[in-house]
Amino acid sequence: MKIAIGCDPNAEDFKQQLIPFIQEMGHEVKDFGSDDVIYANTAIAVGKAVAAKEYDRGILVCGTGIGVSIAANKVPGVYAALVSNIYQAQRAQLSNNANIITMGSQVVGIELAKCFVKEYLSLTYDPNSRSAKKVERITEFERTGV
């Protein structure tokens, strides 16, 4: 898969540890940077690239993971899920078809974050699952506003 990754300046070291891990899993990684102190700009750039299907999935990191999640979710077609445990990383894909996960570099350690990334990238959403109608409702609302 092609993975877009970005972060705020505070999470640069964290992100730099994730990139080779993702590459070792066989994925192509595009680093969208971390220099902009307005983390929303990086989150929006990653979100636009993922929503445009230039990348299969995205990973965003800031101190808590909350800010980049909020910013990315403002991009139409982005479904960003904040993950802080393995179950959330799994369900982000299996139950919610999230195309981006976000994490907090000040909330989870790097080894745990690697576990989240591994789980998230190893799973595929099943459009015939019991969650499908819930996900369809979200995309319908985004499309129609009703």
Side-chain angles (χ1 to χ4, degrees), residues 39-40 43-44 60 65-75 78 80 82 102:
Y39 59 76
I44 291 166
L60 289 165
I66 297 169
V68 290
S69 180
I70 292 169
N73 277 315
K74 296 299 181 182
V75 177
V78 167
L82 172 63
T102 71

Side-chain angles (χ1 to χ4, degrees), residues 95-111:
S95 295
N96 296 287
N97 200 20
N99 51 11
I100 295 175
I101 58 167
T102 71
M103 294 179 281
S105 64
Q106 297 173 19
V107 178
V108 299
I110 189 62
E111 294 306 317

Side-chain angles (χ1 to χ4, degrees), residues 40-60:
N41 292 328
T42 303
I44 291 166
V46 168
K48 284 181 173 181
V50 171
K53 303 203 182 304
E54 295 168 19
Y55 295 88
D56 301 300
R57 297 199 195 159
I59 298 169
L60 289 165

